[in-house]
Amino acid sequence: MGISSSKKAAGIVLKNCTVWKADRSPACRSVLMALDALNLSIKEVDVNMDRDEHKAPDMIAMNSLQTLPILKDHRSVITDSHAIMTYLASRYGYPRFRRGYLLPRDPGDRARIEQLMHYNSGVLQPKYRVAAYPILYNDCRHVMPQQVSDIECSYNEMEIMLGEHTWFGGTWPTLSDITLVATVSTLNIMVPIDATRFPRLSRWFQLMSKESYYLTGNAKGLKEFSDRIDRTEQSEEGGKIVDIKFPRLSSKRRSLTQAEQQGPVKSTIKMHLPF
Ligand SMILES: N[C@@H](CCC(=O)N[C@@H](CS)C(=O)NCC(=O)O)C(=O)O
């Protein structure tokens, strides 16, 4: 694990706030995007899940579920990305953005955003885990037919949810779009979104991929996820596994040049298609 020290601060620096994260994790990337969209800078600690650092005693003391991300703000510890994002937006976003920006103040509008976040947590994330974990942690090299069809079923649900709208939760991108794009961009690596079958979802994904917080908060970790999957192949061929850490403040991560950022990543993984 590594912690960075402050150099040139950008945005609002929260001195007593730390996030423990792994960039390849979609849940962590949604928090990074929320931080960047809110222009907040906190201490970011990289945790290596391949080395089980998230299962170390000090981590379990904060989160018995042994998952990332974990946010600590003063003495409050929050261990779910959706709860972290709504906390950050309401605690540090509301004073600055009167209409609520990423998380509307109006209870009805806010409920719509939260409903979509529950969809992410309850439907998409489990599908991600079932498809990705055997590849990340076991010797599996394929997304199996059942997983392909389950994920495409969710693409279809989201296509219908979007209807004639551009964004999921409102008339501009909100936390619901951020949480969904973190998972969808990762699922897209394993089961590419077919633009002819899911044109609205595909267009939404393209639009989200251009948001500045997507570039600073999601693109690099997504590439890392894609490479991590490829690494399975490398190790099987005797290739060297290189572990790279990027400990820094949120503001420093954001200050990476656009040239260093990666756009949407193409899938390289083999699929067992059901036909
Ligand atoms: N609902 C939780 C899910 C958190 C979660 O499952 N995180 C994954 C990474 S995406 C994790 O920590 N997995 C532990 C592991 O891979 O061992 C959230 O959104 O924070």
Side-chain angles (χ1 to χ4, degrees):
M1 273 188 267
I3 306 175
S4 65
S5 62
S6 177
K7 290 232 171 98
K8 193 172 145 215
I12 294 176
V13 180
L14 307 175
K15 286 214 169 78
N16 294 300
C17 197
T18 302
V19 65
W20 285 264
K21 50 97 179 174
D23 287 346
R24 75 167 155 83
S25 144
C28 297
R29 280 184 265 120
S30 64
V31 171
L32 299 183
M33 283 191 273
L35 283 168
D36 295 354
L38 292 163
N39 205 16
L40 299 172
S41 192
I42 68 177
K43 198 185 292 171
E44 298 182 355
V45 181
D46 283 309
V47 179
N48 188 323
M49 289 195 293
D50 292 328
R51 292 201 193 120
D52 281 347
E53 286 180 356
H54 59 304
K55 298 179 181 169
D58 56 332
M59 301 296 287
I60 294 176
M62 284 194 289
N63 181 12
S64 55
L65 294 177
Q66 305 177 17
T67 58
L68 296 172
I70 301 170
L71 183 96
K72 187 164 186 221
D73 191 8
H74 295 84
R75 274 183 290 172
S76 300
V77 177
I78 311 174
T79 58
D80 176 87
S81 63
H82 311 86
I84 292 170
M85 289 196 292
T86 54
Y87 170 78
L88 291 171
S90 46
R91 170 141 231 167
Y92 300 108
Y94 280 173
R96 289 182 292 146
F97 305 107
R98 277 182 49 231
R99 285 182 66 200
Y101 179 36
L102 295 177
L103 184 65
R105 281 174 184 266
D106 175 81
D109 292 343
R110 179 176 169 137
R112 243 192 11 255
I113 309 301
E114 288 175 335
Q115 177 175 296
L116 289 157
M117 295 175 97
H118 286 295
Y119 177 76
N120 187 63
S121 177
V123 178
L124 292 187
Q125 284 187 341
K127 290 186 184 182
Y128 156 75
R129 282 192 284 269
V130 170
Y133 280 20
I135 301 167
L136 291 173
Y137 297 124
N138 305 117
D139 288 335
C140 181
R141 295 176 66 174
H142 305 281
V143 179
M144 301 310 281
Q146 185 62 51
Q147 273 71 66
V148 174
S149 98
D150 286 351
I151 289 168
E152 289 191 332
C153 174
S154 283
Y155 290 164
N156 193 48
E157 286 166 353
M158 286 185 278
E159 181 75 11
I160 295 166
M161 276 183 220
L162 273 172
E164 296 306 313
H165 304 287
T166 307
W167 313 107
F168 275 98
T171 48
W172 64 85
T174 61
L175 286 187
S176 55
D177 298 279
I178 290 179
T179 197
L180 290 173
V181 84
T183 315
V184 167
S185 61
T186 315
L187 293 175
N188 179 57
I189 300 286
M190 297 182 285
V191 182
I193 299 166
D194 181 344
T196 54
R197 290 173 63 198
F198 313 113
R200 293 167 183 150
L201 183 68
S202 173
R203 181 166 169 273
W204 165 82
F205 181 38
Q206 287 303 321
L207 288 174
M208 284 301 287
S209 312
K210 290 181 192 137
E211 292 289 331
S212 63
Y213 50 76
Y214 181 99
L215 297 172
T216 55
N218 195 59
K220 184 178 77 65
L222 187 62
K223 171 84 166 44
E224 206 174 297
F225 172 79
S226 175
D227 290 348
R228 176 67 184 77
I229 283 179
D230 287 344
R231 208 171 69 174
T232 311
E233 305 230 8
Q234 270 191 335
S235 64
E236 283 177 17
E237 287 158 17
K240 193 175 170 221
I241 295 174
V242 183
D243 188 44
I244 305 167
K245 290 191 172 207
F246 296 89
R248 58 173 71 91
L249 283 176
S250 318
S251 53
K252 196 166 175 196
R253 172 176 48 74
R254 275 199 290 276
S255 71
L256 286 171
T257 62
Q258 293 280 341
E260 285 174 276
Q261 308 291 346
Q262 308 290 325
V265 184
K266 288 241 156 54
S267 171
T268 53
I269 192 167
K270 299 177 190 72
M271 284 193 292
H272 272 173
L273 293 170
F275 43 81

